[in-house]
């Protein structure tokens, strides 16, 4: 009776709540020990109807509950959905059931064009080469379409999708990248590709690829330019009557957040369509325009500031003495050769184009200023020698004049006759009427420097910096404050 009373207590505790799966498994282990006594319940009831009826009925209910729970658990454990997935794949892709050579039907099973939705995820952009005019990009490419031949039973939502890694098992759109130079798939550790087939027949194809694409550039504003590099995707064999590519609604192009480029900044990107018509028909095409802005700080430090410094150093010769010929010549030649070397180095990193670039204007003008400083010294040297020759000529004339007048005074008679008219004319002073000159600040300032060579140096000290400053004003106002349409 105590044992029966304990079982009745446990029955009341168990009957207060729903048995869990773990409890069912635990009871299944005791299934044989529990059910066997209750198989003999009719016998016990036959021999002793006066026994504790309530306790016996309770134990009998527990036995039935445990049996049902174990039966349900065993049924669920026996269902292998991976086996169901295999059966579904064999059913829809088995021999004679699906032909990957035939394109799927149009919308709602019509004979129209198959619609393929495309979206891409830009993982990285490794380089943008100005010389070869190309750029390298790694992206995850996805396209999705509907093939009603691939519909299947999802067993009440248990099979969300089927996964394949062999693209040849199903029909694939013949998409290609029209401006591709090189490209490859990624196979480490496994091929980075998958195909998902959903119960309603939708197919999702995803693959990671690396591409080297051509990017024709306009370098007229280099290095203050913006470049637009495109990514074009088109159908190779199917015309728009059979296959149409569309951008996925919402966010068709995604870019990784921490995208860093050494010399460029990705400002924005635009999606567009670029359908092309040929002799064989019209083909669907998608296009992504990536707008890159060149980082100017690198060129400011490496090109513009050194060129300014070389030009300013060439002006030092204006402050040296005109007699310091070796110093002025060596300074001018050194700055000229350095500027020429830097110009050739800049052009070596760029493709040979037929038009003039902004950097060509800058280096050409700087080179002209340095060369002008060297020519200025040649002019100063010529003026100095001319001044020396003029001084020598003045000295000779003065000496000759003094010698002539000395002889004239030596042979002049000491007694003058009163009636001699020639003597009276000789005694009259010679008067020269010169119109008075107006006072000019520039002339008065230049009169402080008697020689022409010194005047050339002084004028060059002011003219060269002033003209260079005006050039900078025009250059930067022209190339910095420009319309965005002119850049592209």
């Amino acid at each position: 009776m105590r044992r029966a009373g304990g079982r009745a207590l446990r029955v009341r505790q168990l009957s207060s709540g729903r048995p869990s799966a773990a409890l069912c498994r635990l009871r299944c282990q005791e299934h044989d020990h529990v059910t066997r006594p209750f198989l003999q319940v009719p016998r016990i009831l036959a021999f002793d109807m006066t026994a504790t009826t309530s306790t016996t009925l309770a134990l009998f209910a527990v036995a039935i509950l445990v049996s049902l729970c174990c039966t349900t658990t065993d049924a669920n454990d026996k269902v292998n959905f991976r086996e169901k997935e295999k059966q579904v794949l064999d059913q829809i892709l088995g021999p004679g059931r699906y032909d990957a050579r035939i394109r799927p039907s149009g919308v709602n099973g019509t004979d129209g064009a198959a619609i393929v939705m495309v979206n891409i995820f830009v993982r990285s952009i490794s380089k943008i080469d100005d010389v070869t005019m190309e750029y390298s990009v790694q992206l995850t490419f996805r396209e999705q379409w509907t093939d009603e031949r691939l519909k299947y039973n999802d067993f009440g939502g248990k099979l969300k999708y089927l996964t394949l890694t062999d693209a040849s098992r199903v029909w694939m759109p013949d998409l290609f990248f029209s401006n591709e130079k090189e490209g490859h798939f990624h196979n480490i550790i496994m091929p980075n590709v998958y195909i998902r087939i959903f119960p309603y027949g939708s197919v999702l194809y995803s693959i990671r690829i690396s591409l080297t694409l051509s990017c024709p550039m306009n370098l007229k504003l280099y290095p203050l330019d913006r470049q637009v590099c495109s990514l074009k995707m088109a159908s190779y064999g199917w015309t728009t009557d059979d296959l149409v590519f569309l951008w996925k609604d919402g966010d068709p192009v995604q870019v990784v957040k921490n995208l860093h480029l050494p010399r460029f900044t990705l400002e924005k990107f635009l999606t567009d369509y670029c359908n092309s018509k040929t002799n064989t028909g019209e083909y669907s095409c998608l296009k992504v325009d990536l707008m890159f802005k060149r980082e100017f700080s690198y060129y400011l430090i490496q090109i513009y500031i050194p060129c300014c410094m070389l030009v300013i150093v060439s002006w030092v010769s204006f402050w040296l003495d005109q007699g310091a010929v070796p110093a002025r010549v060596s300074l001018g030649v050194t700055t000229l050769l350095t500027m020429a070397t830097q110009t050739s180095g800049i052009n070596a990193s760029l493709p040979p184009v037929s038009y003039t670039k902004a950097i060509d204007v800058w280096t050409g003008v700087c080179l002209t200023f340095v060369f002008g400083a060297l020519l200025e010294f040649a002019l100063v040297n010529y003026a100095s020698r001319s001044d020396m020759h003029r001084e020598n000529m003045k000295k000779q004339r003065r000496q000759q004049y003094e010698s002539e007048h000395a002889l004239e005074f030596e042979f002049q008679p000491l007694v003058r006759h009163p009636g001699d008219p020639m003597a009276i004319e000789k005694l009259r002073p010679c008067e020269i009427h010169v119109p008075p000159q107006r006072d000019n600040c520039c002339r008065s300032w230049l009169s402080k420097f008697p020689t022409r060579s010194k005047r050339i140096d002084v004028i060059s000290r002011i003219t060269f910096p002033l003209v260079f400053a005006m050039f900078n004003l025009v250059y930067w106002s022209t190339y910095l404050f420009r319309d965005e349409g002119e850049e592209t």
Side-chain angles (χ1 to χ4, degrees), residues 409-437:
F409 285 126
E410 183 178 354
F411 292 102
Q412 185 177 4
L414 297 176
V415 179
R416 178 175 62 85
H417 299 282
D420 190 359
M422 296 297 297
I424 295 174
E425 292 293 335
K426 290 181 179 179
L427 292 176
R428 289 179 180 178
C430 182
E431 295 180 359
I432 301 176
H433 298 280
V434 179
Q437 297 181 355

PDB file of all heavy atoms in Angstrom, residues 409-437:
ATOM      1  N   PHE A 409      94.314 125.764 -74.222  1.00  0.00           N
ATOM      2  CA  PHE A 409      94.644 126.805 -73.251  1.00  0.00           C
ATOM      3  C   PHE A 409      96.127 127.139 -73.269  1.00  0.00           C
ATOM      4  O   PHE A 409      96.534 128.241 -72.939  1.00  0.00           O
ATOM      5  CB  PHE A 409      94.240 126.350 -71.836  1.00  0.00           C
ATOM      6  CG  PHE A 409      92.751 126.419 -71.631  1.00  0.00           C
ATOM      7  CD1 PHE A 409      92.055 125.298 -71.200  1.00  0.00           C
ATOM      8  CD2 PHE A 409      92.058 127.588 -71.866  1.00  0.00           C
ATOM      9  CE1 PHE A 409      90.700 125.345 -71.018  1.00  0.00           C
ATOM     10  CE2 PHE A 409      90.691 127.637 -71.674  1.00  0.00           C
ATOM     11  CZ  PHE A 409      90.003 126.523 -71.243  1.00  0.00           C
ATOM     12  N   GLU A 410      96.906 126.124 -73.678  1.00  0.00           N
ATOM     13  CA  GLU A 410      98.358 126.366 -73.692  1.00  0.00           C
ATOM     14  C   GLU A 410      98.747 127.324 -74.816  1.00  0.00           C
ATOM     15  O   GLU A 410      99.594 128.197 -74.637  1.00  0.00           O
ATOM     16  CB  GLU A 410      99.085 125.038 -73.863  1.00  0.00           C
ATOM     17  CG  GLU A 410     100.606 125.188 -73.810  1.00  0.00           C
ATOM     18  CD  GLU A 410     101.292 123.843 -73.940  1.00  0.00           C
ATOM     19  OE1 GLU A 410     100.584 122.792 -73.962  1.00  0.00           O
ATOM     20  OE2 GLU A 410     102.524 123.830 -73.989  1.00  0.00           O
ATOM     21  N   PHE A 411      98.119 127.204 -75.992  1.00  0.00           N
ATOM     22  CA  PHE A 411      98.473 128.057 -77.133  1.00  0.00           C
ATOM     23  C   PHE A 411      97.562 129.283 -77.259  1.00  0.00           C
ATOM     24  O   PHE A 411      97.665 130.048 -78.191  1.00  0.00           O
ATOM     25  CB  PHE A 411      98.389 127.259 -78.453  1.00  0.00           C
ATOM     26  CG  PHE A 411      99.463 126.199 -78.538  1.00  0.00           C
ATOM     27  CD1 PHE A 411      99.159 124.880 -78.283  1.00  0.00           C
ATOM     28  CD2 PHE A 411     100.760 126.546 -78.863  1.00  0.00           C
ATOM     29  CE1 PHE A 411     100.130 123.906 -78.366  1.00  0.00           C
ATOM     30  CE2 PHE A 411     101.724 125.566 -78.946  1.00  0.00           C
ATOM     31  CZ  PHE A 411     101.434 124.253 -78.707  1.00  0.00           C
ATOM     32  N   GLN A 412      96.639 129.497 -76.344  1.00  0.00           N
ATOM     33  CA  GLN A 412      95.766 130.663 -76.407  1.00  0.00           C
ATOM     34  C   GLN A 412      96.558 131.919 -76.018  1.00  0.00           C
ATOM     35  O   GLN A 412      97.279 131.914 -75.036  1.00  0.00           O
ATOM     36  CB  GLN A 412      94.582 130.464 -75.469  1.00  0.00           C
ATOM     37  CG  GLN A 412      93.562 131.570 -75.567  1.00  0.00           C
ATOM     38  CD  GLN A 412      92.360 131.306 -74.670  1.00  0.00           C
ATOM     39  OE1 GLN A 412      92.383 130.318 -73.941  1.00  0.00           O
ATOM     40  NE2 GLN A 412      91.395 132.204 -74.712  1.00  0.00           N
ATOM     41  N   PRO A 413      96.444 133.049 -76.809  1.00  0.00           N
ATOM     42  CA  PRO A 413      97.199 134.267 -76.461  1.00  0.00           C
ATOM     43  C   PRO A 413      96.715 134.853 -75.148  1.00  0.00           C
ATOM     44  O   PRO A 413      95.517 134.800 -74.833  1.00  0.00           O
ATOM     45  CB  PRO A 413      96.912 135.201 -77.631  1.00  0.00           C
ATOM     46  CG  PRO A 413      95.642 134.674 -78.233  1.00  0.00           C
ATOM     47  CD  PRO A 413      95.643 133.215 -78.027  1.00  0.00           C
ATOM     48  N   LEU A 414      97.650 135.384 -74.418  1.00  0.00           N
ATOM     49  CA  LEU A 414      97.340 135.949 -73.116  1.00  0.00           C
ATOM     50  C   LEU A 414      96.739 137.352 -73.231  1.00  0.00           C
ATOM     51  O   LEU A 414      96.010 137.769 -72.352  1.00  0.00           O
ATOM     52  CB  LEU A 414      98.604 136.018 -72.259  1.00  0.00           C
ATOM     53  CG  LEU A 414      99.237 134.642 -71.945  1.00  0.00           C
ATOM     54  CD1 LEU A 414     100.546 134.852 -71.174  1.00  0.00           C
ATOM     55  CD2 LEU A 414      98.284 133.781 -71.170  1.00  0.00           C
ATOM     56  N   VAL A 415      97.020 138.077 -74.356  1.00  0.00           N
ATOM     57  CA  VAL A 415      96.523 139.449 -74.503  1.00  0.00           C
ATOM     58  C   VAL A 415      95.354 139.410 -75.474  1.00  0.00           C
ATOM     59  O   VAL A 415      95.455 138.875 -76.576  1.00  0.00           O
ATOM     60  CB  VAL A 415      97.631 140.404 -75.046  1.00  0.00           C
ATOM     61  CG1 VAL A 415      97.085 141.814 -75.202  1.00  0.00           C
ATOM     62  CG2 VAL A 415      98.812 140.390 -74.092  1.00  0.00           C
ATOM     63  N   ARG A 416      94.279 140.018 -75.104  1.00  0.00           N
ATOM     64  CA  ARG A 416      93.105 140.072 -75.947  1.00  0.00           C
ATOM     65  C   ARG A 416      92.935 141.485 -76.457  1.00  0.00           C
ATOM     66  O   ARG A 416      92.974 142.443 -75.705  1.00  0.00           O
ATOM     67  CB  ARG A 416      91.869 139.651 -75.146  1.00  0.00           C
ATOM     68  CG  ARG A 416      90.599 139.750 -75.977  1.00  0.00           C
ATOM     69  CD  ARG A 416      89.443 139.197 -75.168  1.00  0.00           C
ATOM     70  NE  ARG A 416      89.234 139.974 -73.977  1.00  0.00           N
ATOM     71  CZ  ARG A 416      88.499 141.093 -73.930  1.00  0.00           C
ATOM     72  NH1 ARG A 416      87.959 141.594 -75.017  1.00  0.00           N
ATOM     73  NH2 ARG A 416      88.344 141.723 -72.795  1.00  0.00           N
ATOM     74  N   HIS A 417      92.793 141.605 -77.769  1.00  0.00           N
ATOM     75  CA  HIS A 417      92.585 142.922 -78.377  1.00  0.00           C
ATOM     76  C   HIS A 417      91.139 143.312 -78.215  1.00  0.00           C
ATOM     77  O   HIS A 417      90.233 142.491 -78.415  1.00  0.00           O
ATOM     78  CB  HIS A 417      92.958 142.891 -79.866  1.00  0.00           C
ATOM     79  CG  HIS A 417      94.417 142.524 -80.072  1.00  0.00           C
ATOM     80  ND1 HIS A 417      95.442 143.437 -79.875  1.00  0.00           N
ATOM     81  CD2 HIS A 417      94.998 141.354 -80.445  1.00  0.00           C
ATOM     82  CE1 HIS A 417      96.601 142.859 -80.138  1.00  0.00           C
ATOM     83  NE2 HIS A 417      96.348 141.568 -80.481  1.00  0.00           N
ATOM     84  N   PRO A 418      90.906 144.561 -77.945  1.00  0.00           N
ATOM     85  CA  PRO A 418      89.529 144.963 -77.684  1.00  0.00           C
ATOM     86  C   PRO A 418      88.637 144.854 -78.913  1.00  0.00           C
ATOM     87  O   PRO A 418      87.463 144.594 -78.802  1.00  0.00           O
ATOM     88  CB  PRO A 418      89.658 146.418 -77.247  1.00  0.00           C
ATOM     89  CG  PRO A 418      91.061 146.532 -76.751  1.00  0.00           C
ATOM     90  CD  PRO A 418      91.898 145.637 -77.588  1.00  0.00           C
ATOM     91  N   GLY A 419      89.218 145.032 -80.107  1.00  0.00           N
ATOM     92  CA  GLY A 419      88.371 144.988 -81.286  1.00  0.00           C
ATOM     93  C   GLY A 419      88.247 143.624 -81.926  1.00  0.00           C
ATOM     94  O   GLY A 419      87.693 143.522 -83.019  1.00  0.00           O
ATOM     95  N   ASP A 420      88.730 142.625 -81.262  1.00  0.00           N
ATOM     96  CA  ASP A 420      88.691 141.272 -81.856  1.00  0.00           C
ATOM     97  C   ASP A 420      87.316 140.647 -81.597  1.00  0.00           C
ATOM     98  O   ASP A 420      86.966 140.328 -80.462  1.00  0.00           O
ATOM     99  CB  ASP A 420      89.777 140.414 -81.253  1.00  0.00           C
ATOM    100  CG  ASP A 420      89.918 139.105 -82.027  1.00  0.00           C
ATOM    101  OD1 ASP A 420      89.154 138.896 -83.009  1.00  0.00           O
ATOM    102  OD2 ASP A 420      90.749 138.254 -81.623  1.00  0.00           O
ATOM    103  N   PRO A 421      86.467 140.471 -82.639  1.00  0.00           N
ATOM    104  CA  PRO A 421      85.123 139.894 -82.398  1.00  0.00           C
ATOM    105  C   PRO A 421      85.146 138.429 -82.033  1.00  0.00           C
ATOM    106  O   PRO A 421      84.291 137.937 -81.313  1.00  0.00           O
ATOM    107  CB  PRO A 421      84.412 140.117 -83.736  1.00  0.00           C
ATOM    108  CG  PRO A 421      85.505 140.204 -84.747  1.00  0.00           C
ATOM    109  CD  PRO A 421      86.703 140.821 -84.073  1.00  0.00           C
ATOM    110  N   MET A 422      86.123 137.730 -82.533  1.00  0.00           N
ATOM    111  CA  MET A 422      86.207 136.296 -82.227  1.00  0.00           C
ATOM    112  C   MET A 422      86.469 136.069 -80.759  1.00  0.00           C
ATOM    113  O   MET A 422      85.969 135.124 -80.153  1.00  0.00           O
ATOM    114  CB  MET A 422      87.295 135.644 -83.070  1.00  0.00           C
ATOM    115  CG  MET A 422      87.015 135.694 -84.577  1.00  0.00           C
ATOM    116  SD  MET A 422      85.544 134.787 -85.032  1.00  0.00           S
ATOM    117  CE  MET A 422      86.033 133.159 -84.562  1.00  0.00           C
ATOM    118  N   ALA A 423      87.227 136.958 -80.218  1.00  0.00           N
ATOM    119  CA  ALA A 423      87.536 136.818 -78.797  1.00  0.00           C
ATOM    120  C   ALA A 423      86.296 137.027 -77.953  1.00  0.00           C
ATOM    121  O   ALA A 423      86.095 136.394 -76.927  1.00  0.00           O
ATOM    122  CB  ALA A 423      88.623 137.788 -78.397  1.00  0.00           C
ATOM    123  N   ILE A 424      85.418 137.954 -78.422  1.00  0.00           N
ATOM    124  CA  ILE A 424      84.205 138.220 -77.641  1.00  0.00           C
ATOM    125  C   ILE A 424      83.262 137.013 -77.696  1.00  0.00           C
ATOM    126  O   ILE A 424      82.627 136.648 -76.713  1.00  0.00           O
ATOM    127  CB  ILE A 424      83.520 139.474 -78.189  1.00  0.00           C
ATOM    128  CG1 ILE A 424      84.429 140.698 -77.975  1.00  0.00           C
ATOM    129  CG2 ILE A 424      82.186 139.707 -77.505  1.00  0.00           C
ATOM    130  CD1 ILE A 424      83.909 141.969 -78.611  1.00  0.00           C
ATOM    131  N   GLU A 425      83.145 136.347 -78.894  1.00  0.00           N
ATOM    132  CA  GLU A 425      82.287 135.185 -79.027  1.00  0.00           C
ATOM    133  C   GLU A 425      82.760 134.027 -78.173  1.00  0.00           C
ATOM    134  O   GLU A 425      81.975 133.243 -77.639  1.00  0.00           O
ATOM    135  CB  GLU A 425      82.209 134.757 -80.493  1.00  0.00           C
ATOM    136  CG  GLU A 425      81.479 135.773 -81.373  1.00  0.00           C
ATOM    137  CD  GLU A 425      80.025 135.876 -81.030  1.00  0.00           C
ATOM    138  OE1 GLU A 425      79.460 134.890 -80.489  1.00  0.00           O
ATOM    139  OE2 GLU A 425      79.426 136.933 -81.268  1.00  0.00           O
ATOM    140  N   LYS A 426      84.081 133.929 -78.067  1.00  0.00           N
ATOM    141  CA  LYS A 426      84.616 132.819 -77.272  1.00  0.00           C
ATOM    142  C   LYS A 426      84.342 133.009 -75.793  1.00  0.00           C
ATOM    143  O   LYS A 426      84.259 132.039 -75.045  1.00  0.00           O
ATOM    144  CB  LYS A 426      86.125 132.697 -77.494  1.00  0.00           C
ATOM    145  CG  LYS A 426      86.465 132.208 -78.893  1.00  0.00           C
ATOM    146  CD  LYS A 426      87.975 132.082 -79.065  1.00  0.00           C
ATOM    147  CE  LYS A 426      88.325 131.570 -80.457  1.00  0.00           C
ATOM    148  NZ  LYS A 426      89.809 131.454 -80.654  1.00  0.00           N
ATOM    149  N   LEU A 427      84.197 134.237 -75.399  1.00  0.00           N
ATOM    150  CA  LEU A 427      83.991 134.487 -73.975  1.00  0.00           C
ATOM    151  C   LEU A 427      82.537 134.324 -73.553  1.00  0.00           C
ATOM    152  O   LEU A 427      82.225 134.289 -72.380  1.00  0.00           O
ATOM    153  CB  LEU A 427      84.459 135.908 -73.633  1.00  0.00           C
ATOM    154  CG  LEU A 427      85.976 136.120 -73.736  1.00  0.00           C
ATOM    155  CD1 LEU A 427      86.310 137.592 -73.466  1.00  0.00           C
ATOM    156  CD2 LEU A 427      86.711 135.222 -72.759  1.00  0.00           C
ATOM    157  N   ARG A 428      81.587 134.223 -74.503  1.00  0.00           N
ATOM    158  CA  ARG A 428      80.196 134.056 -74.131  1.00  0.00           C
ATOM    159  C   ARG A 428      79.949 132.646 -73.603  1.00  0.00           C
ATOM    160  O   ARG A 428      80.407 131.671 -74.179  1.00  0.00           O
ATOM    161  CB  ARG A 428      79.299 134.316 -75.334  1.00  0.00           C
ATOM    162  CG  ARG A 428      79.259 135.782 -75.740  1.00  0.00           C
ATOM    163  CD  ARG A 428      78.356 135.955 -76.953  1.00  0.00           C
ATOM    164  NE  ARG A 428      78.320 137.361 -77.352  1.00  0.00           N
ATOM    165  CZ  ARG A 428      77.636 137.810 -78.416  1.00  0.00           C
ATOM    166  NH1 ARG A 428      76.944 136.943 -79.150  1.00  0.00           N
ATOM    167  NH2 ARG A 428      77.657 139.095 -78.731  1.00  0.00           N
ATOM    168  N   PRO A 429      79.239 132.559 -72.556  1.00  0.00           N
ATOM    169  CA  PRO A 429      78.954 131.220 -72.019  1.00  0.00           C
ATOM    170  C   PRO A 429      77.972 130.472 -72.917  1.00  0.00           C
ATOM    171  O   PRO A 429      77.117 131.064 -73.556  1.00  0.00           O
ATOM    172  CB  PRO A 429      78.357 131.505 -70.656  1.00  0.00           C
ATOM    173  CG  PRO A 429      77.762 132.863 -70.793  1.00  0.00           C
ATOM    174  CD  PRO A 429      78.629 133.641 -71.754  1.00  0.00           C
ATOM    175  N   CYS A 430      78.121 129.155 -72.967  1.00  0.00           N
ATOM    176  CA  CYS A 430      77.245 128.272 -73.770  1.00  0.00           C
ATOM    177  C   CYS A 430      76.039 127.880 -72.914  1.00  0.00           C
ATOM    178  O   CYS A 430      76.184 127.299 -71.827  1.00  0.00           O
ATOM    179  CB  CYS A 430      78.016 127.032 -74.212  1.00  0.00           C
ATOM    180  SG  CYS A 430      77.045 125.914 -75.262  1.00  0.00           S
ATOM    181  N   GLU A 431      74.869 128.205 -73.401  1.00  0.00           N
ATOM    182  CA  GLU A 431      73.640 127.931 -72.667  1.00  0.00           C
ATOM    183  C   GLU A 431      72.844 126.843 -73.386  1.00  0.00           C
ATOM    184  O   GLU A 431      72.665 126.905 -74.600  1.00  0.00           O
ATOM    185  CB  GLU A 431      72.794 129.197 -72.553  1.00  0.00           C
ATOM    186  CG  GLU A 431      73.473 130.282 -71.728  1.00  0.00           C
ATOM    187  CD  GLU A 431      72.615 131.519 -71.627  1.00  0.00           C
ATOM    188  OE1 GLU A 431      71.501 131.487 -72.227  1.00  0.00           O
ATOM    189  OE2 GLU A 431      73.023 132.472 -70.952  1.00  0.00           O
ATOM    190  N   ILE A 432      72.374 125.784 -72.634  1.00  0.00           N
ATOM    191  CA  ILE A 432      71.561 124.688 -73.159  1.00  0.00           C
ATOM    192  C   ILE A 432      70.241 124.700 -72.425  1.00  0.00           C
ATOM    193  O   ILE A 432      70.190 124.663 -71.189  1.00  0.00           O
ATOM    194  CB  ILE A 432      72.266 123.333 -72.978  1.00  0.00           C
ATOM    195  CG1 ILE A 432      73.609 123.333 -73.702  1.00  0.00           C
ATOM    196  CG2 ILE A 432      71.379 122.188 -73.466  1.00  0.00           C
ATOM    197  CD1 ILE A 432      74.407 122.083 -73.498  1.00  0.00           C
ATOM    198  N   HIS A 433      69.164 124.807 -73.186  1.00  0.00           N
ATOM    199  CA  HIS A 433      67.828 124.853 -72.605  1.00  0.00           C
ATOM    200  C   HIS A 433      67.229 123.450 -72.621  1.00  0.00           C
ATOM    201  O   HIS A 433      66.961 122.890 -73.676  1.00  0.00           O
ATOM    202  CB  HIS A 433      66.944 125.820 -73.409  1.00  0.00           C
ATOM    203  CG  HIS A 433      67.452 127.229 -73.394  1.00  0.00           C
ATOM    204  ND1 HIS A 433      67.242 128.097 -72.336  1.00  0.00           N
ATOM    205  CD2 HIS A 433      68.186 127.925 -74.313  1.00  0.00           C
ATOM    206  CE1 HIS A 433      67.787 129.252 -72.603  1.00  0.00           C
ATOM    207  NE2 HIS A 433      68.386 129.180 -73.810  1.00  0.00           N
ATOM    208  N   VAL A 434      67.074 122.842 -71.452  1.00  0.00           N
ATOM    209  CA  VAL A 434      66.506 121.509 -71.270  1.00  0.00           C
ATOM    210  C   VAL A 434      65.164 121.652 -70.571  1.00  0.00           C
ATOM    211  O   VAL A 434      65.093 122.339 -69.530  1.00  0.00           O
ATOM    212  CB  VAL A 434      67.451 120.589 -70.474  1.00  0.00           C
ATOM    213  CG1 VAL A 434      66.819 119.202 -70.285  1.00  0.00           C
ATOM    214  CG2 VAL A 434      68.791 120.498 -71.158  1.00  0.00           C
ATOM    215  N   PRO A 435      64.117 121.024 -71.120  1.00  0.00           N
ATOM    216  CA  PRO A 435      62.821 121.155 -70.438  1.00  0.00           C
ATOM    217  C   PRO A 435      62.848 120.469 -69.085  1.00  0.00           C
ATOM    218  O   PRO A 435      63.460 119.405 -68.903  1.00  0.00           O
ATOM    219  CB  PRO A 435      61.845 120.434 -71.391  1.00  0.00           C
ATOM    220  CG  PRO A 435      62.694 119.520 -72.193  1.00  0.00           C
ATOM    221  CD  PRO A 435      64.027 120.216 -72.344  1.00  0.00           C
ATOM    222  N   PRO A 436      62.223 121.029 -68.103  1.00  0.00           N
ATOM    223  CA  PRO A 436      62.248 120.433 -66.751  1.00  0.00           C
ATOM    224  C   PRO A 436      61.491 119.107 -66.724  1.00  0.00           C
ATOM    225  O   PRO A 436      60.415 118.966 -67.292  1.00  0.00           O
ATOM    226  CB  PRO A 436      61.565 121.492 -65.895  1.00  0.00           C
ATOM    227  CG  PRO A 436      60.709 122.244 -66.844  1.00  0.00           C
ATOM    228  CD  PRO A 436      61.443 122.272 -68.160  1.00  0.00           C
ATOM    229  N   GLN A 437      62.082 118.080 -66.076  1.00  0.00           N
ATOM    230  CA  GLN A 437      61.469 116.759 -65.954  1.00  0.00           C
ATOM    231  C   GLN A 437      60.583 116.691 -64.714  1.00  0.00           C
ATOM    232  O   GLN A 437      60.894 117.281 -63.674  1.00  0.00           O
ATOM    233  CB  GLN A 437      62.543 115.672 -65.865  1.00  0.00           C
ATOM    234  CG  GLN A 437      63.407 115.578 -67.114  1.00  0.00           C
ATOM    235  CD  GLN A 437      64.440 114.480 -66.989  1.00  0.00           C
ATOM    236  OE1 GLN A 437      64.562 113.864 -65.932  1.00  0.00           O
ATOM    237  NE2 GLN A 437      65.168 114.243 -68.077  1.00  0.00           N
TER     238      GLN A 437
END
